[in-house]
Amino acid sequence: QDLVPLLPSDGVEDPATLLIASNIVANGQPFNAARQRQVEHDLAAIPGVRQVALAMSMPMLRLVRMHGRVSNRSDSLHAGAVMYQGDKLVPTLGLQLVAGRDFSEAESDSAEPASADYPVIITQALADALYPKGALGQVIVMGSQSSHPSFHPVIGIVAHMLRNALEAGASREIGYAMIRSGGFSEWPMPSYAVRLSGGHTGEVRTQMLAVIKRDLGSDLLATITPKRS
């Protein structure tokens, strides 16, 4: 926002109280869901932490980027959009839900594979592009409708959330993004977003790093110190 004022809002609330732990890489076999969840639980127990989101991908990271063709049900309108996958991303990032709801606990705990017709939360920009008369309750079609597409009900709409594709510049496409929840199984590169209740970012950052190293131990290939978003 500081470098390119023409960009729309990224939708993230108060970056000064948000820490991101990324570049967490498994040394060999991927981390199973239980170990990823254990880290999430232990990060949430750190004093001063208000909310934690476990994610496979999130807007401020370019390491994992799921992008593809999406369309409305009739295929009369389509766009290229990014999908982010994580639990509690809406409250942790502070995204503004303008219609619908966040994911339920059952949806967050679901182990449905990527091919399943899971529900999604989309941005207002993508909603306007695919369903100008209203996207809530409609279906987002992922992939070509001629070759085994998947169908995803829209349960919520957030005001803003930017793609991690700054080459899109100030174009409207930079806001074409979606979130899914659940689907966690084995994954070699989990990321965590941690929302603080106040200051003390240095202390929390140190404890975050200690939790990750303790919980993942010798199976951890590399990590960087959690930084502000």
Side-chain angles (χ1 to χ4, degrees), residues 14-62:
D14 190 11
T17 60
L18 182 66
L19 293 171
I20 307 295
S22 64
N23 198 31
I24 301 168
V25 183
N27 184 14
Q29 294 297 316
F31 303 117
N32 62 35
R35 296 190 72 186
Q36 296 176 64
R37 294 290 189 189
Q38 185 63 51
V39 175
E40 179 185 31
H41 176 271
D42 292 346
L43 290 175
I46 295 174
V49 170
R50 191 178 83 206
Q51 185 84 59
V52 177
L54 164 62
M56 291 187 179
S57 55
M58 64 179 78
M60 59 282 299
L61 302 176
R62 295 177 62 91

Side-chain angles (χ1 to χ4, degrees), residues 48-161:
V49 170
R50 191 178 83 206
Q51 185 84 59
V52 177
L54 164 62
M56 291 187 179
S57 55
M58 64 179 78
M60 59 282 299
L61 302 176
R62 295 177 62 91
L63 187 62
V64 179
R65 184 170 162 183
M66 295 175 280
H67 178 273
R69 182 187 190 275
V70 297
S71 68
N72 58 9
R73 186 181 281 279
S74 66
D75 204 30
S76 60
L77 296 171
H78 57 84
V82 167
M83 172 75 78
Y84 300 114
Q85 182 171 353
D87 288 349
K88 304 182 183 71
L89 283 177
V90 171
T92 305
L93 298 183
L95 304 177
Q96 182 185 359
L97 198 64
V98 296
R101 62 174 178 85
D102 198 356
F103 299 104
S104 67
E105 186 173 340
E107 289 163 342
S108 295
D109 290 340
S110 170
E112 289 181 313
S115 59
D117 295 337
Y118 46 79
V120 294
I121 294 173
I122 67 175
T123 58
Q124 186 68 64
L126 186 59
D128 294 342
L130 298 183
Y131 288 102
K133 295 183 179 180
L136 191 64
Q138 301 288 354
V139 170
I140 301 295
V141 182
M142 294 185 65
S144 171
Q145 298 210 20
S146 62
S147 59
H148 307 292
S150 55
F151 300 86
H152 306 278
V154 177
I155 63 168
I157 299 172
V158 294
H160 301 288
M161 179 175 61

Side-chain angles (χ1 to χ4, degrees), residues 1 5-13 96 159-162 174-175:
Q1 286 283 27
L6 291 178
L7 286 175
S9 169
D10 63 8
V12 176
E13 173 195 9
Q96 182 185 359
H160 301 288
M161 179 175 61
L162 296 190
I174 200 169

